[in-house]
Amino acid sequence: MGRVFPFNIAFEDHFKIPDFLTEEECKLIVHLAQLKGLQKSQILPTDDYEEAMEMIEISQMDIFNLLDHNQDGQLQLKEVLTHTRLGNGRWMTPENIREMYTAVKADPDGNGVLSLEEFKQLNIRDFHKYMGSQKVKMSDLVRNSQHTWLYQGEGAHQVMRAIRQRVMRLTRLPPEIVEHSEPLQVVRYDQGGHYHAHMDSGPVFRETACSHTKLVANESAPFETSCRYVTVLFYLNNVTGGGETVFPIADNRTYEEMSLIQNDIDLRDTRKNCDKGNLRVKPQQGTAVFWYNYLSDGEGWVGELDDFALHGGCLVTQGTRTEGLQWAPTRRPQLQFQQEMERYAGAGAGGPGEWTVDKAYSGVHLELSPGGDAESTSIANGGTDPVSEDAGSDTEPSCLSRKGALPLEAPVSMLFGLHGKMGVTSVTCHGGYIYSTGRDGVYRQLRLQGQQLEVLRKHRPCKGLQWIEELRFTPDGDLLVLGFHADNFVVWSSRTSENLHCIPCGGGHRSWSYWSSPSAESFAFIKSGDVMLYHREAKPCEQQVLLASLHGREIACVRRLGAVEVPGHATLNVFVTGSEDTTACVLALSERSQAAVPLARLSDHISSVRALALAGPAGPGDEGFGDEGLSALLFSAGGRAQIECYRLLCAGDPASESTVACQVIHVASHRLDEHWERKKNRHKLVKMDPETRYMSLSVIPGTSTEKLLTPWKFLAAACSDGSVRVFGLLEAARKLVLVAESFHHQRCVLKVEAFLHARVGWERHLLCSAATDGSIAFWDITSTIADAADALHRAEGEMQPLALGAPLLTVMAHSCGVNSLHVRETPEGQYLVARGSDDGSIHACLLEVALSRGGLDALSTTFFHVPDLAELDCWEVREAGGDLHYYCVLCGQGLEMLRGTAPPEPPAPEAPQ
């Protein structure tokens, strides 16, 4: 009879497999380990600990930043405890930390908190001396066990080879991957043995090499990790007392490292707090447990560590516990989950015998199955575990047996790790699109392209909504988001950006139902085995919203996307605004009703949105769009050195309230801190959190497919750290790459504007930047763009940033910061550069490009005085009858649109008689 495997696997799942090994196989492995000889897994610290610690080159400030997890300038006890393994191998408890503070006089007020000033007064050597002077017992260490390694390669015992083949069939990983895995580790915990909760593997980067294959592959990499993609643990004996494997936070709704320690209770402490872990597996001879240590990055590659795979070995209170550990690696972070998981769909039966896989926790797996009459099963609302999540965890949760699972056809398309470690809660189809929700507080919009699911964008409707359960589309065009926030069930309106209903229920529940009508609402849920019902009759509402808030805080930037014509309606102008509330809003403004209706809200930023730039829009007939409408790339940027890029598609929709439909597709993003950590800070010794802000953006025009090897678009950014940066975007690959930078200004750069000087057979890409000292710099970046495009093409989208070079011309225009900058070509081929300053003046400069020298000449200057504004955008429209009208939209504390009419041209003088 063939072995039965789980068909669809979510990465946060843990699986228990009875009878993975026979009793004879278990005894043989134990015997081989004894013959090989076991050694202590962690030795007691040596006397030269203090000297060894002083050789580590890390400053006192770096240590403080490393420990200060929430960056509040103070060290709480639990922040220090999260780094217990930085010490001499001793597992520190809150009592230990307080004793150390007292011994070195580190906490004068005795509140258990060290401020930055208090920390600066300390001598770090005192801590090292204290740690080195402590007598440590084996029970005080992070790990108290013995282990050895058993070879499984060619020539090994047939049972050892058979176990590796069994793991290969279980995980469905390619033979070349499993054959390069580590040897089998055998671990024995005697009475009093334990292993505090830990992760089996480390973070991966593109440059990562796996420590156990580096020499074999003859690799030279700057960073190593263990690359343990899957862990398979099997018990080799029955344990008389204790010794469970504990997953402290399995099935949690959310994860936060600091939440592992609450009220001096450390969930990672397997000597004291195993009974408080969410999931415990009791050792049983021959039984195996396996789990995944990594998530997908959403694009089919190995992503970040799955924090919910945190696990440990509970204290053995009686007898001994012996186990085997087999790790199936990813030799490189580019191991493709898609190919690997497709083997699940197409795999046949295995070898002799039968395994029944019990799922300890089940998430919803997003898949698109072909139509037909084939019998199938489905799991709704997140799980199959019949035990209420509010029930106690003193015993191991019951599991759902998958023995005799119904046959399923291979899915058309699968996406893994769609909502990361939190899991998917619902899938909804609406308007030709697919929407998924998850416990990560976001929903995603997808579409089916051919036979593949494609993620268009993710959206966080409300910053505080931690767990989204479901989406509901109303007949009047609103999108209702149902979920849980803290201890409340929330119904959130995407149109008005407010809570419509907030029902206290105690927190997230897996079994619930919500119903509403204009006259009443009902919410039913299960808590502690009881069915609870909340019912409320609607009350007459006297409050009316006269003008819905766009942002609630100051609007920092605005750009006009274009106009949409809808038959039978007035022309609608489509704008994009960015605000200090960390969101950008796409809205339509009707010239007839003077009403602004939000079309979409973009919430991917973690700080204020200070700058917007548009590439396009393209008019009717744009590729991939309808016959009528607008299509443009939107770049938004601001605090925390973050840039987001979207494709906006807008068209008339007479059926909707706004008469305009807006489709948003998230294209790419870039964070300077992530870029720096990936390139220079792989060991994570110092937290990098640069407060760099992007002050202004400008799309560099004229970089077309015909002139470049690949269709890269380029973007210039003014940065608060004194730099001018250039980024390249390849929309098809969804890559946004830093390609060039210069720190010429040496102070905050406020504005940047790119323009193209084109003549027959000759083109120059020019860039203008302005800083807080009132200086204006003009750059020729033609060669930089060409070199960057060539490097990106050769390196497939990865490159070291180029130097931007020196500017052609610098003009001191103002006595202080330049907050407005515009460049416009005149009919004579010169360039009018206008800029406004905090000194209350406008500086207009007329420039001429000298073809022979490739330089710029300043011709004349004029000054004006106007009040300061946050941002404006202007355009002109020639209406029916030939009248020319000028429009301007301004933003700051609010949003205002102005219209002006050009004065009539004077009549031509009559010819003399």
Side-chain angles (χ1 to χ4, degrees):
M1 181 179 294
R3 302 178 184 229
V4 180
F5 293 98
F7 200 79
N8 292 325
I9 299 177
F11 291 127
E12 65 268 34
D13 290 357
H14 311 82
F15 295 88
K16 178 181 175 183
I17 310 172
D19 302 323
F20 184 79
L21 299 177
T22 66
E23 181 179 356
E24 290 74 18
E25 288 173 330
C26 292
K27 291 181 178 179
L28 174 65
I29 295 173
V30 172
H31 180 66
L32 292 175
Q34 291 172 341
L35 291 176
K36 178 75 178 294
L38 286 87
Q39 60 183 358
K40 292 180 179 180
S41 302
Q42 185 177 354
I43 61 174
L44 292 170
T46 60
D47 295 335
D48 59 354
Y49 163 78
E50 180 183 347
E51 179 182 350
M53 290 301 294
E54 290 182 355
M55 293 179 63
I56 298 178
E57 296 182 0
I58 181 170
S59 70
Q60 191 162 343
M61 192 63 191
D62 289 341
I63 295 175
F64 186 89
N65 289 331
L66 175 65
L67 298 176
D68 188 11
H69 184 275
N70 58 10
Q71 297 292 292
D72 64 350
Q74 294 183 320
L75 297 184
Q76 286 81 22
L77 282 176
K78 61 183 179 181
E79 287 181 314
V80 178
L81 284 171
T82 58
H83 296 273
T84 53
R85 301 184 80 173
L86 295 179
N88 60 349
R90 179 184 180 187
W91 180 262
M92 303 293 285
T93 65
E95 294 81 7
N96 299 146
I97 299 294
R98 293 189 184 97
E99 292 171 0
M100 180 173 63
Y101 283 175
T102 301
V104 301
K105 300 178 181 180
D107 184 18
D109 52 12
N111 63 353
V113 177
L114 298 184
S115 67
L116 177 58
E117 292 303 319
E118 290 175 335
F119 194 81
K120 288 180 178 178
Q121 301 301 319
L122 299 176
N123 187 341
I124 298 300
R125 291 187 177 182
D126 292 341
F127 284 97
H128 298 337
K129 289 180 181 178
Y130 174 82
M131 296 294 289
S133 66
Q134 296 301 296
K135 299 300 180 183
V136 183
K137 299 180 295 185
M138 289 298 297
S139 59
D140 294 330
L141 298 180
V142 173
R143 183 178 186 182
N144 181 11
S145 64
Q146 301 175 64
H147 75 277
T148 191
W149 301 89
L150 297 181
Y151 177 67
Q152 293 178 280
E154 294 295 334
H157 194 284
Q158 60 179 2
V159 170
M160 304 304 299
R161 294 289 297 168
I163 291 174
R164 175 164 284 185
Q165 293 296 318
R166 205 171 299 170
V167 169
M168 190 183 307
R169 293 198 300 273
L170 172 66
T171 61
R172 291 291 193 265
L173 289 175
E176 59 271 18
I177 292 292
V178 179
E179 287 295 336
H180 283 98
S181 62
E182 299 166 79
L184 176 70
Q185 186 184 65
V186 179
V187 184
R188 187 178 73 195
Y189 298 90
D190 294 324
Q191 185 168 330
H194 70 279
Y195 194 175
H196 290 304
H198 59 282
M199 302 295 294
D200 273 356
S201 198
V204 295
F205 304 97
R206 188 170 296 274
E207 303 89 344
T208 300
C210 297
S211 54
H212 64 281
T213 60
K214 184 176 181 180
L215 294 177
V216 175
N218 193 26
E219 296 179 1
S220 176
F223 185 53
E224 297 179 32
T225 192
S226 48
C227 298
R228 292 165 175 172
Y229 163 45
V230 175
T231 297
V232 182
L233 180 153
F234 33 88
Y235 302 106
L236 301 176
N237 72 319
N238 296 313
V239 181
T240 308
E244 299 93 342
T245 300
V246 63
F247 296 86
I249 54 174
D251 205 13
N252 265 19
R253 297 198 301 272
T254 58
Y255 170 79
E256 170 58 42
E257 186 177 12
M258 291 296 100
S259 65
L260 291 172
I261 307 170
Q262 297 291 341
N263 300 322
D264 284 357
I265 296 177
D266 191 343
L267 292 178
R268 303 168 305 164
D269 191 332
T270 58
R271 287 181 58 84
K272 298 180 179 179
N273 301 318
C274 259
D275 60 328
K276 298 177 177 63
N278 286 356
L279 173 64
R280 298 185 306 282
V281 182
K282 184 177 180 180
Q284 189 173 3
Q285 188 180 59
T287 294
V289 179
F290 82 94
W291 61 87
Y292 295 91
N293 295 306
Y294 291 100
L295 301 168
S296 166
D297 67 352
E299 298 180 0
W301 310 105
V302 170
E304 61 182 284
L305 280 173
D306 184 355
D307 296 314
F308 293 95
L310 184 75
H311 65 284
C314 297
L315 180 69
V316 178
T317 59
Q318 189 174 356
T320 63
R321 163 185 160 181
T322 308
E323 64 186 29
L325 285 162
Q326 183 84 73
W327 289 287
T330 162
R331 193 177 158 270
R332 277 294 200 190
Q334 294 91 335
L335 172 68
Q336 196 165 11
F337 280 165
Q338 182 74 23
Q339 295 176 352
E340 165 216 333
M341 298 308 285
E342 283 175 356
R343 290 185 172 86
Y344 276 105
E354 178 179 2
W355 294 337
T356 301
V357 180
D358 289 345
K359 249 186 169 183
Y361 163 71
S362 176
V364 173
H365 182 83
L366 176 65
E367 64 178 41
L368 182 66
S369 297
D373 300 327
E375 188 176 7
S376 63
T377 59
S378 64
I379 302 172
N381 284 340
T384 57
D385 189 352
V387 178
S388 168
E389 72 177 89
D390 295 309
S393 58
D394 293 335
T395 59
E396 183 182 340
S398 60
C399 302
L400 173 68
S401 175
R402 295 297 299 272
K403 183 185 293 186
L406 295 175
L408 297 175
E409 296 184 15
V412 173
S413 177
M414 294 185 291
L415 293 178
F416 299 96
L418 193 62
H419 288 266
K421 64 198 73 168
M422 305 303 180
V424 180
T425 54
S426 74
V427 179
T428 306
C429 295
H430 178 78
Y433 297 97
I434 302 168
Y435 297 83
S436 68
T437 63
R439 299 174 188 171
D440 54 355
V442 303
Y443 68 81
R444 283 170 168 76
Q445 184 185 43
L446 309 94
R447 67 181 174 187
L448 189 62
Q449 287 285 83
Q451 294 293 305
Q452 294 296 321
L453 285 171
E454 177 187 8
V455 179
L456 299 181
R457 64 179 292 223
K458 68 174 183 179
H459 184 67
R460 185 179 300 276
C462 175
K463 296 290 184 182
L465 197 58
Q466 302 159 332
W467 178 342
I468 297 179
E469 274 284 355
E470 187 179 309
L471 301 179
R472 294 188 182 179
F473 297 86
T474 65
D476 61 357
D478 196 4
L479 171 58
L480 302 182
V481 182
L482 281 60
F484 296 97
H485 175 215
D487 57 354
N488 296 315
F489 175 79
V490 172
V491 180
W492 175 268
S493 170
S494 299
R495 184 170 59 190
T496 61
S497 297
E498 64 176 348
N499 279 338
L500 299 182
H501 305 290
C502 189
I503 302 171
C505 63
H509 301 279
R510 289 194 172 180
S511 300
W512 60 272
S513 180
Y514 175 77
W515 172 87
S516 67
S517 72
S519 60
E521 63 170 335
S522 297
F523 176 67
F525 58 98
I526 296 177
K527 183 176 181 180
S528 300
D530 298 325
V531 179
M532 315 291 288
L533 175 64
Y534 177 94
H535 180 78
R536 183 176 68 176
E537 300 290 337
K539 297 180 179 178
C541 182
E542 297 180 358
Q543 180 181 354
Q544 295 183 3
V545 179
L546 300 180
L547 180 61
S549 170
L550 292 177
H551 289 280
R553 298 186 65 181
E554 182 175 350
I555 302 173
C557 47
V558 61
R559 285 290 179 269
R560 178 178 180 264
L561 178 63
V564 176
E565 301 287 346
V566 183
H569 296 79
T571 299
L572 292 168
N573 285 289
V574 180
F575 300 98
V576 184
T577 57
S579 169
E580 291 182 352
D581 69 352
T582 75
T583 68
C585 183
V586 184
L587 58 100
L589 190 146
S590 170
E591 297 181 15
R592 180 182 301 169
S593 66
Q594 301 296 306
V597 180
L599 303 177
R601 194 172 296 273
L602 314 177
S603 60
D604 295 299
H605 282 270
I606 59 177
S607 188
S608 62
V609 181
R610 300 182 61 95
L612 298 170
L614 290 167
D622 179 53
E623 183 179 355
F625 196 53
D627 295 332
E628 296 182 358
L630 301 171
S631 174
L633 279 172
L634 169 68
F635 296 91
S636 61
R640 302 296 292 273
Q642 180 180 7
I643 301 179
E644 300 292 334
C645 178
Y646 307 88
R647 169 66 67 176
L648 302 182
L649 307 171
C650 297
D653 182 10
S656 67
E657 179 185 10
S658 62
T659 68
V660 176
C662 181
Q663 173 61 53
V664 180
I665 301 174
H666 185 266
V667 177
S669 61
H670 189 276
R671 288 272 303 278
L672 274 183
D673 53 353
E674 294 176 353
H675 167 85
W676 193 92
E677 287 198 16
R678 184 171 62 252
K679 296 297 181 184
K680 302 178 182 178
N681 192 32
R682 302 183 184 93
H683 294 278
K684 307 279 186 182
L685 285 179
V686 182
K687 282 190 170 71
M688 281 302 299
D689 186 18
E691 290 301 324
T692 299
R693 301 179 302 281
Y694 291 117
M695 312 301 293
S696 172
L697 299 176
S698 180
V699 175
I700 299 173
T703 56
S704 63
T705 306
E706 292 78 14
K707 298 165 187 155
L708 301 178
L709 295 172
T710 50
W712 286 88
K713 291 181 174 65
F714 292 91
L715 176 78
C719 309
S720 65
D721 62 356
S723 70
V724 175
R725 290 184 169 92
V726 178
F727 296 86
L729 171 75
L730 183 58
E731 185 176 4
R734 298 192 172 188
K735 282 188 176 182
L736 186 61
V737 182
L738 175 62
V739 299
E741 60 186 353
S742 171
F743 288 85
H744 163 78
H745 284 283
Q746 293 294 308
R747 50 185 46 82
C748 177
V749 185
L750 294 173
K751 291 292 178 180
V752 67
E753 185 80 11
F755 56 103
L756 179 68
H757 181 73
R759 296 296 181 265
V760 177
W762 193 79
E763 281 188 355
R764 310 301 293 177
H765 295 287
L766 303 175
L767 187 65
C768 179
S769 59
T772 53
D773 62 349
S775 65
I776 310 291
F778 296 89
W779 315 70
D780 184 350
I781 59 172
T782 309
S783 60
T784 302
I785 295 297
D787 293 343
D790 180 61
L792 289 168
H793 177 71
R794 287 186 285 104
E796 298 181 351
E798 298 291 337
M799 63 174 291
Q800 290 295 326
L802 305 173
L804 203 55
L808 297 175
L809 174 68
T810 300
V811 178
M812 293 302 300
H814 299 280
S815 60
C816 57
V818 177
N819 53 29
S820 180
L821 178 64
H822 299 277
V823 180
R824 187 184 182 106
E825 187 174 5
T826 67
E828 295 78 18
Q830 299 166 335
Y831 293 91
L832 179 66
V833 182
R835 54 265 191 186
S837 170
D838 286 333
D839 62 9
S841 67
I842 288 181
H843 182 191
C845 179
L846 194 62
L847 296 177
E848 184 175 55
V849 178
L851 302 183
S852 59
R853 303 193 312 272
L856 297 172
D857 295 325
L859 300 181
S860 63
T861 299
T862 306
F863 287 90
F864 298 92
H865 293 271
V866 296
D868 186 25
L869 288 171
E871 181 71 288
L872 61 85
D873 198 13
C874 302
W875 68 98
E876 60 184 39
V877 177
R878 188 170 296 278
E879 299 181 348
D883 294 337
L884 184 63
H885 294 276
Y886 298 98
Y887 290 83
C888 183
V889 60
L890 308 94
C891 68
Q893 294 297 330
L895 191 70
E896 184 178 9
M897 180 172 158
L898 304 177
R899 176 186 177 188
T901 303
E905 297 181 0
E910 296 182 3
Q913 298 294 328

